[in-house]
Amino acid sequence: VVLRGGKIATLNGKQPEATGLAVWRERILLVGSDADVKPLIGPATRVIDLQGRRVVPGFHDSHVHLLNGGMLLSLVNLKDAADEAEFGRRLREFDKKLPPGRWMIGGNWDHDGTFASKLPDAALLDKYVPDRPVFIRRYDGHMALANGKALALAGITAATPEVAGGEIYRKPGTKEPTGLLRDNAMGLVGRLVPPPDDETIAAAVQAALAELAKAGITSVQDMAGSDAATRMKLFRHFQKLKQSGQLTVRIRLYWPLAAWQSLAQLGVLVNLGDLWLAIGVFKDFIDGSLGSSTAKMYEPFLNEPGNTGIYVTPRSKLLENIRAADAAGLGVAVHAIGDQGNAELLDIFAEVAKVNGPRDRRFRIEHAQHLRPQDYRRFAELNVIASMQPFHIIDDGRWAEGRIGAKRCASSYANRSLLEAGAKLAFGSDWPVAPLSPLRGIDAAVHRRTLDGKHPDGWFAEQMISVQEALEAYTKGSAYAAFRENDLGTLEVGKLADLVVLSRDILDPGERERIAQTEVLLTMVGGKVVWKTK
């Protein structure tokens, strides 16, 4: 394959721009001018005339939930319901589509948008769907709402004890459950939801792969999040797709950290597999989320005085598992949202590195949202990757100050401060929590304009980064976080031919205001076109 007549951003400092690029089999053979690639064009060469279009390395999403995202495409979606009437209409319409007795799941609801920050309850769901069990999650995945039928099936009553690392919401002045469950308490109902079968998984993965290709995403780091049986089915399905040549995105699959022994006992090391499918990496949680008021903070939430969040995993257990998995040569990433959660996780990483000795381990903090300024430099000092999702800036920015106030928000989503401290950023989407589009993510990191339109000049604009920096975090940064920098992240000779052709030149200052309107025209993975506009 030969591409010519374009504006190719290689992200290789030694040769930042080119107009032509040649691919032999899966890898880049030559990067240079149109004249350079012309002698390589033969009768069997596929020539792609770029017509002046911008080419960038394939987007590498460092944090997705691939199966959940694919499944949600065919489940009830309430994220942008304008009010209760729209919320209820969508529930009733989806209820009519489901067979009798089937659970209604999905949701992705947003009480800040739909209910003016008032939390819904089981009685609200029962108004619209009283006759089947309903269990729908808030879009951050850290809070869920059950209707009366689901609560009854789970046996959740006033007598149900609290769950460590979670919370059962109770009606004021009583112990009666409202139907809302936070973090680990969601398992009281979640364990009853039938897991997806092989056919459902296959359909969801097919739908997800199509969305990834359309978005220009050529590699993902899949945080999964499924139960053990579903995770096994998903992994087997990925393997079958790879063996049959039907996999169109490179996947690094994360196991729950509590299951580290299942791979360590087999002698698995980080990144077992190949450039299409790899395992040997694990994920855990230290806390909850800001939107569900379960992020672990040093000071209380403004909307819930006395509440400083939740340890989803006890610190001692987290330290024990990270130390053991790291000693076994496995990779570790941990979700941390709150300032205390992040600070304590950095302490844990430092302790583990000291105990287990030096090696290139590349610990990661997933989200790294709310930080104390004194912790920025620790990311660089400890070589901890800040795996961040920039769309959360403009989404959470609608209501974050109401949760933690302006002072703490000023040091949150701190892309600029982390870069200046020498930290490595790896960008992703957190799909389906946030939209999949890397271009919308780049736009969010560059402009920081909240979705409610209240910050046209940027929410805490001092944390803005450049288009180039955001693009590098979505390519080079994510490749580094996955130990794939020798094969991915830039367009240079010898690396894999994963690239994207864009409708606009996002690196042109004149197009800076139109990044989010930019379309992916073509997606190439390993020299093969997996998406192309008509």
Side-chain angles (χ1 to χ4, degrees):
V1 181
V2 162
L3 290 79
R4 65 183 181 187
K7 291 183 284 189
I8 301 172
T10 68
L11 302 190
N12 171 16
K14 296 178 181 178
Q15 185 189 18
E17 287 283 341
T19 61
L21 182 149
V23 180
W24 173 247
R25 296 180 176 168
E26 290 188 341
R27 294 189 180 266
I28 297 170
L29 180 65
L30 188 149
V31 180
S33 66
D34 289 357
D36 292 333
V37 298
K38 186 176 180 180
L40 299 176
I41 298 173
T45 303
R46 178 179 182 179
V47 179
I48 298 174
D49 186 353
L50 296 168
Q51 300 180 336
R53 300 290 191 188
R54 170 59 71 189
V55 176
V56 298
F59 295 119
H60 189 148
D61 193 316
S62 71
H63 189 117
V64 298
H65 303 273
L66 192 149
L67 178 61
N68 290 347
M71 289 182 64
L72 193 63
L73 295 171
S74 60
L75 298 174
V76 63
N77 193 340
L78 305 165
K79 175 69 163 66
D80 59 349
D83 51 27
E84 183 188 330
E86 176 65 14
F87 186 91
R89 184 185 67 79
R90 293 188 191 185
L91 289 173
R92 279 179 172 153
E93 288 183 356
F94 199 78
D95 182 39
K96 294 174 183 177
K97 299 177 184 179
L98 291 176
R102 178 80 61 84
W103 281 71
M104 183 185 292
I105 57 175
N108 258 24
W109 49 270
D110 174 14
H111 67 288
D112 291 289
T114 304
F115 304 112
S117 299
K118 181 181 178 183
L119 287 167
D121 58 17
L124 176 70
L125 288 184
D126 290 340
K127 284 171 57 177
Y128 303 104
V129 188
D131 299 323
R132 75 169 71 248
V134 178
F135 189 58
I136 53 176
R137 292 176 183 260
R138 187 181 186 273
Y139 73 94
D140 63 358
H142 290 267
M143 181 158 49
L145 179 62
N147 71 345
K149 196 168 186 68
L151 290 174
L153 287 171
I156 298 176
T157 68
T160 304
E162 289 295 339
V163 177
E167 181 184 1
I168 301 170
Y169 269 74
R170 314 278 182 170
K171 295 178 182 178
T174 76
K175 290 189 174 293
E176 289 295 323
T178 69
L180 277 170
L181 305 167
R182 291 205 286 202
D183 285 298
N184 290 347
M186 295 188 295
L188 296 171
V189 176
R191 62 185 172 81
L192 301 178
V193 178
D197 57 21
D198 288 333
E199 183 179 347
T200 300
I201 290 172
V205 169
Q206 182 178 2
L209 292 180
E211 290 296 308
L212 290 163
K214 186 176 179 180
I217 296 169
T218 55
S219 294
V220 297
Q221 297 174 49
D222 183 7
M223 300 296 151
S226 306
D227 61 273
T230 300
R231 188 168 63 252
M232 183 272 287
K233 293 177 184 177
L234 178 64
F235 182 43
R236 288 179 66 87
H237 186 65
F238 284 157
Q239 292 179 81
K240 290 176 181 177
L241 289 175
K242 186 181 89 68
Q243 290 168 356
S244 62
Q246 298 179 71
L247 204 55
T248 55
V249 68
R250 305 183 193 279
I251 299 171
R252 192 181 197 231
L253 184 60
Y254 284 68
W255 256 246
L257 181 58
W260 70 269
Q261 289 179 305
S262 63
L263 295 186
Q265 288 169 350
L266 299 175
V268 171
L269 297 173
V270 62
N271 282 351
L272 173 71
D274 58 20
L275 290 162
W276 281 105
L277 183 59
I279 59 173
V281 283
F282 294 84
K283 184 200 174 192
D284 207 339
F285 297 79
I286 194 169
D287 64 355
S289 74
L290 190 72
S292 295
S293 299
T294 53
K296 190 62 186 161
M297 307 295 295
Y298 280 109
E299 300 295 331
F301 287 89
L302 300 184
N303 61 314
E304 295 186 25
N307 172 26
T308 60
I310 290 173
Y311 286 110
V312 172
T313 308
R315 189 187 187 284
S316 59
K317 186 64 176 177
L318 189 59
L319 172 60
E320 176 189 336
N321 282 340
I322 293 174
R323 183 168 53 208
D326 179 71
L330 298 163
V332 176
V334 180
H335 161 119
I337 299 285
D339 54 9
Q340 185 172 357
N342 276 278
E344 294 193 357
L345 183 54
L346 288 166
D347 290 342
I348 289 172
F349 284 156
E351 184 173 343
V352 169
K354 183 178 180 180
V355 170
N356 289 347
R359 74 177 178 91
D360 186 11
R361 46 178 50 88
R362 302 187 196 182
F363 282 145
R364 300 165 49 135
I365 295 184
E366 303 304 309
H367 312 303
Q369 283 185 358
H370 309 287
L371 304 173
R372 301 178 305 174
Q374 62 263 42
D375 288 325
Y376 299 150
R377 60 179 174 77
R378 299 178 68 203
F379 280 82
E381 291 170 355
L382 298 171
N383 194 27
V384 172
I385 312 294
S387 173
M388 306 177 79
Q389 302 77 45
F391 191 86
H392 290 328
I393 301 166
I394 62 172
D395 195 358
D396 297 4
R398 296 173 295 139
W399 42 259
E401 290 180 66
R403 301 290 204 282
I404 59 173
K407 182 179 179 181
R408 284 183 286 182
C409 284
S411 61
S412 298
Y413 314 92
N415 298 157
R416 167 58 54 208
S417 293
L418 284 165
L419 281 177
E420 290 180 352
K424 292 182 173 66
L425 302 187
F427 275 175
S429 63
D430 204 8
W431 186 62
V433 175
L436 191 56
S437 168
L439 290 160
R440 293 185 71 182
I442 291 171
D443 181 76
V446 169
H447 295 294
R448 298 178 70 99
R449 296 168 178 157
T450 55
L451 296 178
D452 56 12
K454 293 182 178 179
H455 300 276
D457 298 322
W459 184 59
F460 296 99
E462 62 273 14
Q463 293 294 346
M464 289 175 176
I465 61 175
S466 70
V467 178
Q468 178 84 14
E469 289 166 331
L471 176 60
E472 290 186 358
Y474 242 121
T475 51
K476 293 171 70 173
S478 293
Y480 177 85
F483 292 85
R484 297 303 195 202
E485 70 271 20
N486 292 330
D487 295 286
L488 302 170
T490 62
L491 299 177
E492 51 188 301
V493 173
K495 289 197 174 182
L496 289 159
D498 294 3
L499 56 84
V500 175
V501 181
L502 302 176
S503 65
R504 298 178 185 273
D505 182 2
I506 62 172
L507 293 171
D508 180 348
E511 295 287 354
R512 190 172 182 272
E513 296 299 315
R514 291 178 286 274
I515 298 170
Q517 287 75 53
T518 303
E519 297 178 13
V520 172
L521 301 181
L522 179 146
T523 304
M524 178 181 287
V525 183
K528 293 183 179 180
V529 175
V530 299
W531 160 259
K532 189 176 186 296
T533 54
K534 296 180 180 178

